[in-house]
Amino acid sequence: MKRWLWLGLGLSGMVASGCGSDPKPEPVVLPQACPGTAEASLPSTAVSALSTSPNTAPDGVIITYKPKVTASALAASADIVKAVERVGGTVRRRIPNLNMVSARLSPEAITALKANPDVLSVTPNRRVRAMALPTPPPLASWQGAFSTQGSVGEYTEGLKLVQAPQVWDANNDGIIDPGAATGEGVKVCVIDSGWDSKHPELKAAFLKGKDFVDDDDDPTDQSVSPKGEVTVGGGHGTHVSATILAQFGAGSGGRVAPGEDPNGVVGVAPGASLLVARVLDTDGGGRTDDVIAAVDWCNSEGARVASLSLGAPDPSEDEQTAFEKVWNNGNGMLSVAASGNDGKHGIAYPAAYLPSVMAVGAVDLQGKIADFSQYGQELSVVGPGVEVLSATVLGAASLSQVTAASVPVTSRPLTYTAQGTYTGRLVNCGLGADRAACGEAATCEGFVAYVDRGDLFFEEKARNVIQAGARAIIIGDNVEDEGPGFTLGSANPHWVPTVSVSMASGAALKGLVGQEVTVSTSGLDYQRESGTSMATPHVSGVAALVFSARPDLSAAHVRAVLEKTALDDKTTPGVDEHYGHGLVQAAKAVALARTLPQGGGPLPLP
């Protein structure tokens, strides 16, 4: 049984006020939420108040100051911190190697600070975002010898598209060739959302990490509230890291989907060492000052390659300065960054900082440019970025199964779905616009809700039918071609197993309303993701292979080698804004690198 809630008019409003008056609208009647489901609501978008002035920008500013010849970098930093505090500001981060600090300041304080003769610039600490679950902090390096034997089933489509196995397994026997370039001896720093320290694909490669979000040495992809509640991230950094250097062979895999190799996947450069710099929070957002500090840290730790699957639509002078410093006129660290996912002209930043950063666009597994890939004259190369299979936070990916009338129905789990199995009557809930959408067939004893795709967010639909009593949800697509995969927006303890089906399958399921249907979702440790975020680590891994084959080459030489050996597209021959120099080709790049004289010789390459 359900109780019903009357909304809109009270009893007095239901009585006509007199002759000729307009008829009163019918009251809206909704069933009350089933017990225990009332909190299944959309996450709050409210922003917590800052301790500084109400006019202070949430992420503050970055202050660049003059270095002092007579003082150390730390002493100069201390002096500018005092200047910030004198005008009422609060310092957030110090980056003494780059003569920068970030702080929160009122507009009046900013004006006062700009008048300080030691201050060169004061710029916004802009937001960056990812382009596309608790563990103790690591006290020491976990890196061990990487495995040299595995299975060719670990070679993903993207891996083969960039020729990586041809570099270290030329005879395709699942054994790394003696003396082959594998990335061994090369440190790759992944500046992203952190990692899952428990994932078997990454543990042996991990060298060191730093968390710039929580300011500690544990770059795990999670956050902990003051009450001790743990929120796990979406696995973006784990996915990126594994694309670069997932481990090879038996014991490296986790839970995989049917048909996939039990060992999981192998990375482009499985012998490389992993540095993890966490700058993105569990929602995929971050700050410019954290990116700057991370770039400086990666360089100081000896990284040859920094991989950044993140960005912002606008440039930052301070950020550009940081990348130029670590680039060191081509003699320092090679930074590789995503071009962006808006599908428009114009490369995101930091990818667009020429020549200190390589901008990477995305192609599908047939080598065609992805519709979402941003393009422009700064684009360097492209890499596989559509439906890329790689590792994710343990158990964060899902496998779904739907059975109706004893017949399996192809389905896809929604991101953030709950895991479990439920069998119950199928109820047609239409668009799931409110708690009454499922009609009288809905009971708090439970049912499987069928919901059509429409204008509402999927999390709104899910919230409504769960409050009506649904224990599992099937969302039918409204287009013939299968969509890119749907999401519930964020984690919520009230979510139930939720999957999507094609438009044709949805129409068939509507004919089975009233019959029992089983919906099952289970955890996986690997998932397919799309974005220039996924293309970037393919390029970073190829760069690591070239550095491994020729440690004497500079970053400028490696960049030139990757661009010169890239596979040109047939659509627009030559260097162009959509494909850059083309699709990176590891075997050709390593072969060319090995022909260069000691130190690489003059640039540009002949």
Side-chain angles (χ1 to χ4, degrees):
M1 292 293 293
K2 286 188 179 179
R3 296 180 180 177
W4 293 78
L5 183 65
W6 294 75
L7 300 179
L9 297 173
L11 289 177
S12 61
M14 297 173 64
V15 180
S17 59
C19 226
S21 63
D22 294 332
K24 298 296 182 180
E26 291 294 325
V28 178
V29 183
L30 290 179
Q32 287 189 335
C34 289
T37 66
E39 294 179 5
S41 57
L42 295 179
S44 171
T45 57
V47 178
S48 58
L50 295 171
S51 58
T52 53
S53 163
N55 295 323
T56 303
D59 295 308
V61 297
I62 298 173
I63 303 156
T64 303
Y65 53 90
K66 297 177 182 177
K68 294 186 176 181
V69 178
T70 58
S72 68
L74 290 176
S77 176
D79 287 344
I80 204 69
V81 166
K82 291 178 182 177
V84 170
E85 292 174 342
R86 279 197 298 270
V87 296
T90 302
V91 171
R92 182 179 180 274
R93 182 174 300 287
R94 307 184 191 196
I95 315 174
N97 289 342
L98 298 174
N99 303 312
M100 297 179 190
V101 299
S102 62
R104 291 191 175 98
L105 296 158
S106 68
E108 295 76 17
I110 291 175
T111 301
L113 201 61
K114 285 181 176 179
N116 188 319
D118 290 329
V119 173
L120 294 174
S121 65
V122 181
T123 59
N125 188 13
R126 81 205 200 300
R127 297 289 289 177
V128 299
R129 294 215 46 96
M131 297 293 186
L133 290 145
T135 56
L139 301 179
S141 169
W142 288 350
Q143 188 172 30
F146 69 96
S147 173
T148 59
Q149 184 169 347
S151 165
V152 295
E154 297 177 71
Y155 302 168
T156 64
E157 303 97 323
L159 199 73
K160 290 182 279 190
L161 203 61
V162 301
Q163 296 186 327
Q166 295 181 38
V167 173
W168 35 260
D169 185 14
N171 60 356
N172 199 44
D173 63 354
I175 301 174
I176 290 180
D177 302 333
T182 62
E184 189 172 11
V186 178
K187 296 177 183 178
V188 180
C189 194
V190 176
I191 302 175
D192 208 284
S193 66
W195 73 314
D196 182 353
S197 60
K198 302 183 295 299
H199 207 296
E201 292 286 8
L202 299 176
K203 288 176 67 173
F206 180 72
L207 193 62
K208 191 174 183 180
K210 190 170 182 63
D211 188 334
F212 293 89
V213 177
D214 295 334
D215 286 321
D216 57 38
D217 294 327
D218 176 15
T220 304
D221 186 4
Q222 67 179 34
S223 64
V224 183
S225 73
K227 296 181 180 180
E229 299 167 332
V230 177
T231 301
V232 180
H236 190 266
T238 299
H239 198 278
V240 166
S241 298
T243 299
I244 299 171
L245 41 65
Q247 298 302 285
F248 197 32
S252 66
R255 290 168 290 181
V256 301
E260 293 176 358
D261 194 278
N263 290 320
V265 300
V266 63
V268 175
S273 300
L274 175 63
L275 295 169
V276 179
R278 181 180 181 233
V279 299
L280 300 179
D281 57 27
T282 52
D283 292 326
R287 301 177 177 90
T288 299
D289 62 334
D290 289 339
V291 173
I292 292 172
V295 168
D296 180 52
W297 178 80
C298 294
N299 187 56
S300 68
E301 292 294 333
R304 300 300 302 272
V305 182
S307 190
L308 300 101
S309 291
L310 51 77
D314 53 313
S316 161
E317 291 182 9
D318 298 319
E319 185 181 64
Q320 184 171 9
T321 297
F323 280 100
E324 289 175 348
K325 181 170 183 178
V326 299
W327 169 248
N328 189 22
N329 294 317
N331 296 303
M333 183 173 72
L334 178 63
S335 299
V336 184
S339 69
N341 294 341
D342 285 342
K344 63 183 182 181
H345 184 272
I347 304 296
Y349 298 88
Y353 299 139
L354 276 174
S356 58
V357 183
M358 286 187 72
V360 181
V363 294
D364 62 21
L365 297 178
Q366 287 71 49
K368 180 183 177 183
I369 196 71
D371 292 340
F372 56 76
S373 185
Q374 287 175 226
Y375 57 94
Q377 63 179 2
E378 301 91 350
L379 192 69
S380 171
V381 291
V382 293
V386 178
E387 290 290 296
V388 172
L389 179 65
S390 189
T392 189
V393 169
L394 291 176
S398 294
L399 171 69
S400 67
Q401 294 177 307
V402 174
T403 304
S406 301
V407 177
V409 179
T410 301
S411 63
R412 298 182 72 178
L414 269 68
T415 304
Y416 298 112
T417 178
Q419 294 175 10
T421 299
Y422 179 76
T423 300
R425 290 179 303 103
L426 185 64
V427 174
N428 189 345
C429 296
L431 292 173
D434 53 42
R435 290 197 300 271
C438 302
E440 296 183 359
T443 67
C444 292
E445 285 70 35
F447 59 92
V448 176
Y450 175 85
V451 181
D452 283 314
R453 183 180 176 185
D455 293 335
L456 294 177
F457 288 115
F458 294 121
E459 55 262 46
E460 291 185 70
K461 296 173 180 287
R463 175 191 59 184
N464 293 333
V465 299
I466 290 171
Q467 291 183 354
R471 305 285 180 85
I473 304 169
I474 301 172
I475 295 177
D477 209 341
N478 57 4
V479 293
E480 291 186 5
D481 295 330
E482 186 176 7
F486 304 139
T487 178
L488 289 171
S490 62
N492 187 321
H494 289 274
W495 292 150
V496 299
T498 305
V499 304
S500 65
V501 298
S502 68
M503 185 168 68
S505 294
L509 283 171
K510 287 181 181 179
L512 299 176
V513 167
Q515 298 188 34
E516 286 201 341
V517 172
T518 299
V519 178
S520 177
T521 54
S522 56
L524 297 176
D525 304 330
Y526 301 83
Q527 69 182 10
R528 292 185 180 274
E529 294 188 14
S530 298
T532 53
S533 280
M534 285 61 248
T536 299
H538 282 94
V539 177
S540 300
V542 173
L545 292 178
V546 176
F547 273 124
S548 180
R550 288 294 305 270
D552 59 306
L553 295 185
S554 69
H557 281 94
V558 172
R559 174 175 183 145
V561 166
L562 264 59
E563 291 178 343
K564 189 172 183 63
T565 57
L567 178 64
D568 194 9
D569 67 287
K570 297 179 181 178
T571 306
T572 52
V575 180
D576 63 82
E577 292 190 338
H578 284 86
Y579 291 86
H581 291 265
L583 175 66
V584 285
Q585 300 287 274
K588 291 181 179 179
V590 169
L592 175 61
R594 284 178 167 152
T595 68
L596 298 179
Q598 184 67 25
L603 289 172
L605 294 176

